Amino acid sequence: MTRILILTKNVLHEVSFEKQLRHLGNEVFTSLTIFENIMYDQLPRDFLSMFHQVIISETIDNKEAIKLINKLKQPSIILLRKTDECLEENRCLEWKELGLTDWVECHPTLETLRDQLICDQVELANSTLLHCPTKKSIDILSLPLSVGESRLLTILYQHQKVFTSREDLCIEMWSKPKTNSTMSQLSTLVKKLKRKLEEFGVEGEIIETSWGQGYRLAEQTYSQLYIGDKYESFVHEG
């Protein structure tokens, strides 16, 4: 049985949706108090380990949802955002880079909800199977990455734990100011790079995303990666 936690500002608002989840055989717990406790860091960290999926209600605004994601994201938990709006692809990528797993409709059919939950569970299981802990530091330039992925990883590594804005990254990556095209390419590269590094055994969050500040490598990533002697020629490669 899947245990699902719904975080909301109005428990009564979730009655119909919660009923659908229960019809699918899930054990569901809906709470405003837990939402508040998480936001104020008043909840024991291991409390969340009893849930397989956490759904953030549309009654919670985006700023609070981002804070929740930063506090909740763990490899073993599926984080879903319930919404009644259709997001553009670039915005979807930004949310997923923050740590969101997927979206779920406010008023889905039972079949749609069932299939989506199963799909997210399978994706989590597959990512767990692909994860292979690394035993020693890996030379970035030895990784089988695309040119764009290697360049992005090297630039982030060079910036040493400092957030770099998306605009500045576009300039460093493609030597031109940001455009809709380069911003989209950057979001896609970040997503692919994180997935590949996970597959190669790099542990932890890997790349941190901060709303309005950009990207940086997570602190634990530096102990797992290094840049070899070919670094300088790679960075200045045209």
Side-chain angles (χ1 to χ4, degrees):
M1 178 183 293
T2 300
R3 291 186 294 275
I4 299 175
L5 172 63
I6 300 176
L7 299 175
T8 183
K9 286 188 173 180
N10 187 340
V11 175
L12 293 178
H13 178 78
E14 313 300 336
V15 171
S16 177
F17 183 73
E18 182 179 339
K19 186 177 180 181
Q20 285 186 299
L21 291 172
R22 292 186 185 278
H23 275 313
L24 292 172
N26 300 296
E27 184 177 356
V28 186
F29 190 75
T30 304
S31 177
L32 164 61
T33 303
I34 293 178
F35 159 66
E36 293 174 337
N37 286 342
I38 293 172
M39 293 296 286
Y40 292 101
D41 297 317
Q42 297 175 347
L43 192 71
R45 188 67 174 174
D46 58 356
F47 174 82
L48 294 171
S49 64
M50 70 177 69
F51 297 102
H52 303 104
Q53 295 175 316
V54 176
I55 298 177
I56 302 173
S57 169
E58 73 277 19
T59 60
I60 296 172
D61 66 47
N62 284 340
K63 288 185 178 180
E64 291 174 317
I66 292 169
K67 290 181 181 179
L68 275 176
I69 292 170
N70 286 329
K71 293 175 181 292
L72 293 175
K73 54 186 174 184
Q74 300 177 25
S76 59
I77 295 181
I78 295 172
L79 286 178
L80 302 172
R81 173 69 155 150
K82 186 153 68 76
T83 180
D84 55 5
E85 63 176 338
C86 183
L87 299 180
E88 296 180 355
E89 183 178 356
N90 286 356
R91 192 66 187 277
C92 290
L93 289 172
E94 289 175 357
W95 276 97
K96 289 195 174 184
E97 287 163 10
L98 288 169
L100 192 70
T101 305
D102 208 346
W103 286 262
V104 61
E105 297 177 13
C106 292
H107 307 288
T109 64
L110 201 60
E111 291 78 9
T112 298
L113 184 58
R114 176 200 64 207
D115 292 345
Q116 181 168 4
L117 294 180
I118 290 175
C119 180
D120 291 331
Q121 291 164 6
V122 169
E123 183 176 344
L124 177 63
N126 288 339
S127 66
T128 302
L129 288 173
L130 286 171
H131 182 74
C132 178
T134 183
K135 299 299 182 181
K136 60 182 180 179
S137 296
I138 304 171
D139 185 348
I140 288 174
L141 300 184
S142 73
L143 293 170
L145 303 172
S146 69
V147 173
E149 292 162 355
S150 293
R151 185 177 292 278
L152 174 60
L153 179 56
T154 305
I155 290 171
L156 290 175
Y157 189 95
Q158 181 190 25
H159 289 181
Q160 291 294 316
K161 305 176 185 179
V162 176
F163 279 108
T164 305
S165 70
R166 291 159 60 87
E167 292 84 352
D168 288 344
L169 280 173
C170 285
I171 292 174
E172 290 198 55
M173 288 288 296
W174 297 287
S175 300
K176 59 182 179 181
K178 70 170 184 176
T179 63
N180 289 337
S181 175
T182 55
M183 293 286 273
S184 177
Q185 289 181 62
L186 180 61
S187 294
T188 300
L189 277 174
V190 170
K191 183 178 179 181
K192 288 182 177 179
L193 179 57
K194 290 173 70 173
R195 182 186 300 127
K196 285 189 177 181
L197 290 177
E198 287 173 355
E199 293 175 5
F200 298 145
V202 179
E203 297 181 316
E205 191 174 351
I206 302 179
I207 299 175
E208 296 178 350
T209 303
S210 177
W211 204 266
Q213 295 188 68
Y215 305 107
R216 71 178 178 187
L217 290 184
E219 184 173 354
Q220 64 267 32
T221 305
Y222 284 93
S223 64
Q224 302 176 68
L225 299 174
Y226 73 95
I227 297 181
D229 297 334
K230 297 180 181 179
Y231 168 66
E232 289 298 330
S233 61
F234 177 83
V235 171
H236 296 97
E237 186 181 55

